[in-house]
Amino acid sequence: MAYEAVIGMEVHVEINTRSKVFCACSTAFDAPPNTNVCPVCLGMPGVLPVLNREMVNKTVAVGLALNCRISRWSKMDRKNYFYPDLAKNYQISQYDLPLCQEGFLDIEVDGATRRIGITRAHMEEDTARNTHSIGGGQSGVDFNRAGVPLLEIVTEPDLRSADEVYAYLTMLKQILEYLDASDCNIEEGSLRAEANVSVRPVGAQTLGVKTEIKNVASLHGVTKAVEYEIARHVRVLDEGGTITQETRGWDADRGLTFSQRQKESAHDYHYFPEPDLAPIVVDEAWEQRIREGLPELPAARRSRFSDQYGLSTYDAAILTATRAMADYFEATAACGADPKQAANWIMGDLQALLTLSAMDIRACPVQPDALAGMIALIDDGTISGKIGKDVLGEMFATGKTARAIVEAKGLTQISDADALRAVILEVIEKNPAQVEQYRSGKEKVLGFLVGQVMRATQGKANPRLLNDVLLAELRKP
Amino acid sequence: MAWYGKTAHELIEAVSQRQASAVEIAESYLGRIEAVEPRVDAFTQVWRDSALEQAARVDARIARGENAGPLAGVPVALKELLCTVEGETTCASRILAGFRSPYDATAVQRLKAAGAVLLGKLNMDEFAMGSSTENSAIKLTRNPWNPECVPGGSSGGSAAAVAADECAFSLGSDTGGSIRQPAALCGCVGMKPTYGRVSRFGLVAFASSLDQIGPLTKDVRDCALALNVLCGHDPMDSTSADVPVPDFTRGLDGDMRGVRVGLPREFFTDALSGEVREHVEATVKALEARGAELREVSLPHSEYAVATYYIVCTAEASANLARFDGVRYGFRHPEAKTMLDMYVMSKTGGFGPEVQRRILLGTYVLSSGYYDAYYLKAQQVRTLIKRDFDRAFEQVDVIAGPTSPTPAFRFGEKTADPLTMYLSDIYTISCNLAALPGLSLPCGLTASGLPVGLQLLGRPFDEEMLLRVAHCCEQLRGGIGKPPLA
């Protein structure tokens, strides 16, 4: 039987405010255990939460970027359950009136656009972190993470494949990054994605039994886990079995999902409105202020890059993958570099250098104006593109300008025909056999002779001129 | 000299006139505590050394010619559920035995900054749940007017200590009458300010939407002085109101002419004990003689107040008390081997029966499937109760009635049946549900020598009107004297 997968995503992202959502403690990630804590986030007796305004600002910004309706009036609620990582034994969250509702995100898979419904995005506090490796048969709780602001973004069950899940998460990450709302670091846990997966016969209207995949530590892992889970559902159903509603984990080493927790019944969290916090009223003026402050979002920037700079869809997508990359590209173009060349250098050699040194483009030692300067030297024939590669490497390592490097190392291209001819004649004289081969019709030998000239000039020969002069000399009887 | 018999405003006067030093006053009160505590048992902790140090610092500031604050040298004691760096903060519960708070409640910080001298902490019903202080896990507190009677509750220690002259005034907290009812039963003045007037930061929460800190004092002027220090917006409490704070002493002597006093028909029924009714009515009549206009008003939904209250407050309490789990602080059952055991055994062993009863009730009313029928319905009725008051306050400036249906009752009289105990708060509860200010002041003694309290309720943030009417009552009826303590 042919099946269709139905997938909904729940994504938790830590919002990168400087202080926690209900107290003034730092949200820094790698502080020693229990150092970014105070009576409020430790749930000491008598303390009260105070909502971080920046959290509301960033949530509204994300909501607007996801085409959500922003609730004029919303509130926080208490979600009650007992666990040692939850200081108050209730989590302050949003239940029936989330700040952002009914949005959508358009994703692209294989050139087609699909609209994914966003059910809601709501604010809550992160929990502490339990560790069971402190020895002595004891468990430890690190409250540094307790009270870090979290945004939970929930989709409609609109996704149909693992590729769509990957595209959705990538786009979502991009948007969050453009908004400077989250670091989206899946390894550090600042982005946690859970997938609800079910399958049904193609054409069926009702939903199949779902399983929930949790605790996957990478974007590719989520995609693979979803892929695996879809195949597992289909296999089980085809074999006449039934799917059990449960939470499943992902074993990345073995590449399979495994049962973690059977859902006995829906958990009763005894939700009720948080009496310690006033309702959140985001009026039109507030929403408008945030709307006006939104940066150009990835989709818009992508299509503008194609239109304005004449880039291919593919190049535009790569260059807009992160806001920093797109800013870098535009700054380079603004310094006068040819956009297509700038794009090639950034996506090619520069990206390779960054990857090699595990560096983010925001920390790139070659500033956009320096890159533009290097490209200008190629444009005006001072250096060849080949030399440019070396020069860029040197710039990256030393932070010097292209011109300084070219001058210091005497890398200026030989564009003087007479000077070049002298070298060429020498090469012809030293390689009579190859010259004879060429003249008798073996034109492939030309590459060897060019290489010899390049070697003799330490690569500084102007390639076009070299070609012209060499051919002219070879044709001479 | 026996400074302990004086009011706060008399002490402030004496200190400013250099008739007494803060240390002399503190010593006088500490001596009084020593003398009468065996008979009253109001205190859970007495901070003798730190009190004398604070007093010495006040004296030093005065000696240097500095302003030592509006309450310079006034000895104050605190309900056991206010967080203090000094001593312990146990909420009179086993589950917090030995707990030391890392910070001072905002109200405590304000008292310290005003130059008050903190004497120690006072007994209460465990986590403020009760109306007789019999639910304390620490001790029984006796009514200074009759050692066989309860002091009321939950701020029973706060009321008894003031009545017994063991402090100039005290702080209590009021969720459904916990300041006003013990004030009435012990014969002192107790004010629950408007919700949001006083920061709740550092008040260990019982029911967050109802709790409010307030003073218990020897007279109405002291109440105004205390409010001057306690009230005001606190950025640490999102529910604290950012409204101007007047000098509450300024309007005390205002005229009664034209003041409209509302008498709710629902408060003067057969349920009201004869002597209480007589004293309340006599006081109200005296007000009329001074030019106040009496009007009957109706609060038709007040019959649902107790039921509504016990849904809202237990629901909030079930979440507020969840944090006492033995994980980070407080009592952890030594025999618990698993996580679930740790929760169940620590809570079962740490909380007393009334607290457990309310946690269970609150958990039940919030259960999915019951939420609409209980919690949501209660919130709707709460709105109706508030509307009753809004309508009444269109016709009157203040509402007067009894604070408690009966004077102080005997130990054990109501402990067998929780519902009977809950009805002690029948007149005080709607004030919290409607977030209004309420005040109780003594208006007479019964034949058997027990104080009777008159309750005044006002518009939100109109504590001034309550104080003005209360001050007039006090002038008209005179004091009730001092309890018969040796």
Side-chain angles (χ1 to χ4, degrees):
Chain A
M1 197 188 295
Y3 290 97
E4 159 185 73
V6 179
I7 308 155
M9 297 298 297
E10 285 173 30
V11 173
H12 285 87
V13 276
E14 288 184 355
I15 298 299
N16 60 359
T17 54
R18 267 185 298 174
S19 56
K20 291 185 180 180
V21 62
F22 298 122
C23 64
C25 288
S26 163
T27 54
F29 170 70
D30 47 7
N34 294 312
T35 51
N36 289 336
V37 294
C38 73
V40 175
C41 55
L42 285 172
M44 300 299 280
V47 297
L48 297 169
V50 177
L51 180 59
N52 186 330
R53 173 175 281 266
E54 196 53 21
M55 175 59 177
V56 179
N57 286 333
K58 294 208 171 190
T59 299
V60 171
V62 173
L64 291 174
L66 296 177
N67 307 293
C68 288
R69 181 164 59 76
I70 305 303
S71 304
R72 283 277 164 270
W73 194 96
S74 81
K75 64 182 170 73
M76 304 304 297
D77 298 280
R78 290 186 183 178
K79 179 181 181 179
N80 296 282
Y81 65 95
F82 285 91
Y83 207 61
D85 67 6
L86 192 59
K88 304 180 293 296
N89 286 316
Y90 59 81
Q91 180 189 34
I92 304 180
S93 180
Q94 295 197 285
Y95 181 48
D96 53 344
L97 279 172
L99 189 48
C100 312
Q101 306 182 61
E102 298 163 6
F104 63 85
L105 179 60
D106 287 334
I107 62 168
E108 269 169 48
V109 178
D110 299 331
T113 301
R114 291 255 296 123
R115 177 158 291 188
I116 307 305
I118 304 289
T119 314
R120 56 188 283 161
H122 73 252
M123 306 184 286
E124 58 187 31
E125 56 181 333
D126 210 343
T127 59
R129 203 191 292 265
N130 291 345
T131 58
H132 307 292
S133 54
I134 59 169
Q138 295 201 311
S139 292
V141 191
D142 177 6
F143 285 90
N144 284 350
R145 199 180 68 177
V148 166
L150 270 191
L151 186 63
E152 181 176 337
I153 303 163
V154 182
T155 73
E156 293 292 303
D158 286 348
L159 296 151
R160 293 290 173 268
S161 69
D163 285 347
E164 289 189 7
V165 167
Y166 185 77
Y168 168 73
L169 291 174
T170 308
M171 288 269 323
L172 183 64
K173 254 186 82 168
Q174 249 181 41
I175 287 174
L176 292 165
E177 195 255 357
Y178 266 62
L179 295 170
D180 188 25
S182 174
D183 304 332
C184 293
N185 191 325
I186 213 164
E187 287 79 22
E188 287 181 5
S190 62
L191 188 148
R192 285 162 248 162
E194 296 160 25
N196 289 295
V197 178
S198 66
V199 302
R200 63 183 172 193
V202 170
Q205 290 305 304
T206 52
L207 292 169
V209 177
K210 68 173 181 182
T211 52
E212 192 176 352
I213 309 169
K214 274 191 167 171
N215 303 320
V216 189
S218 76
L219 216 59
H220 281 284
V222 177
T223 315
K224 281 194 186 143
V226 168
E227 204 169 357
Y228 177 90
E229 197 56 14
I230 293 170
R232 189 184 70 85
H233 280 222
V234 169
R235 192 177 65 240
V236 168
L237 294 176
D238 274 347
E239 286 167 0
T242 49
I243 299 294
T244 312
Q245 184 171 336
E246 62 185 354
T247 300
R248 296 178 73 86
W250 170 243
D251 184 333
D253 294 333
R254 295 198 292 159
L256 47 81
T257 65
F258 58 93
S259 176
Q260 275 190 321
R261 184 159 53 94
Q262 306 254 331
K263 226 165 207 166
E264 315 83 37
S265 58
H267 213 295
D268 186 353
Y269 289 115
H270 297 95
Y271 278 104
F272 73 101
E274 168 56 273
D276 285 333
L277 290 167
I280 302 147
V281 182
V282 178
D283 60 16
E284 230 160 292
W286 190 355
E287 183 183 322
Q288 191 55 28
R289 267 201 310 283
I290 294 170
R291 194 185 290 281
E292 282 162 8
L294 287 181
E296 186 181 22
L297 293 169
R301 205 164 190 187
R302 207 160 52 231
S303 70
R304 181 169 65 78
F305 273 25
S306 292
D307 297 346
Q308 185 178 336
Y309 301 112
L311 301 177
S312 70
T313 316
Y314 179 79
D315 288 358
I318 291 191
L319 286 173
T320 54
T322 68
R323 189 176 170 181
M325 172 85 92
D327 287 347
Y328 189 97
F329 165 75
E330 291 215 273
T332 309
C335 290
D338 172 65
K340 282 186 187 169
Q341 285 203 48
N344 287 335
W345 280 103
I346 294 170
M347 294 186 299
D349 289 75
L350 189 64
Q351 185 57 56
L353 288 165
L354 289 166
T355 308
L356 215 60
S357 47
M359 203 180 266
D360 188 275
I361 197 158
R362 279 170 292 196
C364 182
V366 179
Q367 291 296 303
D369 58 338
L371 178 63
M374 196 278 287
I375 293 171
L377 290 183
I378 297 174
D379 272 354
D380 68 12
T382 307
I383 56 171
S384 66
K386 190 170 178 315
I387 293 282
K389 285 172 184 287
D390 299 336
V391 171
L392 184 62
E394 188 83 10
M395 292 165 74
F396 194 88
T398 63
K400 290 184 186 154
T401 65
R403 185 164 297 281
I405 292 166
V406 165
E407 277 169 11
K409 297 203 157 184
L411 295 176
T412 307
Q413 204 160 231
I414 303 171
S415 300
D416 174 356
D418 292 337
L420 203 53
R421 186 170 292 112
V423 180
I424 285 169
L425 287 175
E426 207 169 304
V427 166
I428 287 176
E429 199 179 311
K430 279 185 181 164
N431 299 286
Q434 284 81 0
V435 171
E436 195 51 45
Q437 281 176 16
Y438 179 82
R439 284 182 175 151
S440 59
K442 251 191 143 180
E443 294 194 356
K444 269 190 178 171
V445 180
L446 186 65
F448 169 79
L449 295 169
V450 168
Q452 293 304 306
V453 178
M454 274 296 180
R455 178 187 279 187
T457 58
Q458 283 137 14
K460 289 186 284 183
N462 179 324
R464 182 161 301 167
L465 192 61
L466 161 59
N467 226 41
D468 292 350
V469 175
L470 180 60
L471 283 175
E473 290 301 324
L474 285 173
R475 279 181 197 132
K476 281 181 188 168
Chain B
M1 186 175 167
W3 291 108
Y4 62 77
K6 306 287 186 193
T7 62
H9 58 88
E10 286 165 346
L11 295 174
I12 292 166
E13 179 75 8
V15 169
S16 73
Q17 300 294 316
R18 309 267 178 127
Q19 292 161 351
S21 70
V23 169
E24 282 167 355
I25 292 170
E27 279 171 342
S28 170
Y29 272 94
L30 289 166
R32 172 68 173 177
I33 290 169
E34 215 163 289
V36 302
E37 260 308 88
R39 162 77 169 68
V40 181
D41 265 335
F43 278 81
T44 50
Q45 322 167 40
V46 179
W47 303 335
R48 187 178 180 86
D49 294 344
S50 93
L52 290 172
E53 279 165 29
Q54 292 170 63
R57 275 201 296 278
V58 169
D59 286 335
R61 296 195 65 175
I62 293 170
R64 290 197 298 269
E66 295 168 18
N67 180 358
L71 297 176
V74 175
V76 177
L78 308 166
K79 190 173 180 178
E80 184 66 35
L81 50 41
L82 288 163
C83 286
T84 52
V85 174
E86 182 73 30
E88 297 175 358
T89 301
T90 70
C91 300
S93 177
R94 253 171 67 78
I95 211 156
L96 279 177
F99 175 73
R100 304 181 74 91
S101 172
Y103 70 100
D104 276 332
T106 299
V108 175
Q109 290 174 30
R110 283 172 168 267
L111 286 178
K112 281 182 167 177
V117 172
L118 304 180
L119 295 177
K121 285 173 130 170
L122 300 161
N123 201 19
M124 56 184 276
D125 285 299
E126 182 179 6
F127 283 105
M129 296 176 181
S131 307
S132 66
T133 312
E134 289 167 289
N135 294 333
S136 168
I138 300 174
K139 52 160 72 166
L140 280 184
T141 294
R142 298 177 181 281
N143 193 312
W145 294 87
N146 182 338
E148 268 139 49
C149 288
V150 301
S154 65
S155 311
S158 300
V162 171
D165 285 331
E166 295 180 273
C167 57
F169 72 87
S170 65
L171 293 195
S173 68
D174 190 316
T175 307
S178 279
I179 289 173
R180 291 159 289 154
Q181 186 258 19
L185 270 48
C186 290
C188 47
V189 175
M191 163 78 95
K192 181 205 91 77
T194 311
Y195 185 80
R197 258 297 191 202
V198 179
S199 168
R200 292 185 295 117
F201 190 78
L203 164 70
V204 181
F206 159 17
S208 311
S209 74
L210 302 162
D211 294 343
Q212 191 64 194
I213 295 171
L216 293 96
T217 58
K218 295 181 188 180
D219 68 6
V220 175
R221 180 170 296 276
D222 279 6
C223 181
L225 281 170
L227 288 181
N228 280 352
V229 169
L230 295 171
C231 296
H233 176 66
D234 178 8
M236 298 296 279
D237 177 0
S238 306
T239 63
S240 93
D242 199 357
V243 294
V245 178
D247 177 353
F248 289 105
T249 60
R250 209 177 291 166
L252 289 179
D253 296 313
D255 201 337
M256 276 306 106
R257 273 172 299 184
V259 172
R260 299 164 299 171
V261 177
L263 304 172
R265 140 181 355 133
E266 293 80 5
F267 284 13
F268 293 88
T269 62
D270 295 342
L272 190 56
S273 105
E275 278 185 295
V276 172
R277 186 180 195 132
E278 279 164 31
H279 284 296
V280 168
E281 283 178 347
T283 310
V284 170
K285 290 246 163 63
L287 280 176
E288 189 178 26
R290 286 292 292 271
E293 183 189 330
L294 302 187
R295 285 193 190 181
E296 190 184 77
V297 291
S298 177
L299 303 169
H301 294 95
S302 42
E303 65 174 299
Y304 305 112
V306 173
T308 302
Y309 172 82
Y310 277 96
I311 289 168
V312 174
C313 81
T314 57
E316 292 180 6
S318 71
N320 283 332
L321 272 61
R323 70 188 63 192
F324 306 108
D325 57 6
V327 174
R328 286 142 300 136
Y329 49 79
F331 175 70
R332 180 193 293 178
H333 201 287
E335 283 153 40
K337 297 275 184 259
T338 67
M339 188 179 82
L340 189 62
D341 277 357
M342 174 184 67
Y343 286 139
V344 174
M345 293 168 79
S346 302
K347 283 172 180 284
T348 308
F351 289 133
E354 180 62 26
V355 174
Q356 293 191 31
R357 180 180 298 121
R358 295 201 194 186
I359 290 172
L360 289 173
L361 264 172
T363 307
Y364 177 76
V365 300
L366 290 174
S367 310
S368 74
Y370 295 96
Y371 181 88
D372 289 359
Y374 291 109
Y375 187 79
L376 192 64
K377 181 67 77 184
Q379 291 294 8
Q380 289 163 345
V381 177
R382 189 173 177 179
T383 304
L384 294 176
I385 289 170
K386 174 140 184 48
R387 269 190 214 148
D388 282 356
F389 280 102
D390 290 345
R391 253 178 234 132
F393 283 121
E394 284 168 12
Q395 302 163 46
V396 298
D397 302 303
V398 63
I399 287 172
T403 307
S404 164
T406 63
F409 43 92
R410 287 171 185 273
F411 288 101
E413 195 178 319
K414 300 191 180 186
T415 44
D417 178 8
L419 277 181
T420 318
M421 187 72 90
Y422 293 175
L423 291 173
S424 310
D425 297 328
I426 190 164
Y427 301 123
T428 48
I429 273 170
S430 29
C431 163
N432 301 74
L433 291 169
L436 308 173
L439 177 151
S440 177
L441 82 158
C443 65
L445 287 175
T446 63
S448 53
L450 289 170
V452 172
L454 170 81
Q455 178 177 239
L456 299 171
L457 303 174
R459 296 189 185 96
F461 299 103
D462 195 8
E463 285 84 358
E464 283 178 286
M465 176 60 77
L466 295 189
L467 291 165
R468 179 170 150 199
V469 175
H471 192 245
C472 181
C473 294
E474 195 175 67
Q475 308 282 306
L476 288 168
R477 303 274 293 164
I480 55 168
K482 299 276 186 189
L485 286 167

